[in-house]
Amino acid sequence: MSERAAPFFCPYCGDEDLRPNEQGHGAWECGACNRAFQLKFLGLLARGLQRADDGGDEHI
């Protein structure tokens, strides 16, 4: 099994100064804005996205 992907930037301030948090799996802290957050995979959607004629994404 491969390693889980890490976030590239903080969802609050956009900075890249992230490090794992002690709260456990999926928890991260941002050194720039001093916030902690947790990422969690919820599952696959029953309906996906379908490409529209104009090249954008559209819900089906």
Side-chain angles (χ1 to χ4, degrees):
M1 189 170 218
S2 64
E3 284 188 39
R4 304 245 176 188
F8 293 111
F9 55 89
C10 174
Y12 297 100
C13 71
D15 200 88
E16 298 177 359
D17 184 15
L18 299 178
R19 56 198 86 153
N21 185 275
E22 297 175 0
Q23 292 295 320
H25 182 72
W28 294 88
E29 58 188 49
C30 176
C33 69
N34 203 31
R35 289 185 170 125
F37 58 94
Q38 188 167 14
L39 302 176
K40 181 178 178 182
F41 177 71
L42 298 177
L44 298 174
L45 300 175
R47 297 185 300 164
L49 294 176
Q50 180 179 346
R51 188 165 196 116
D53 291 339
D54 62 357
D57 289 333
E58 181 179 290
H59 292 284
I60 54 173

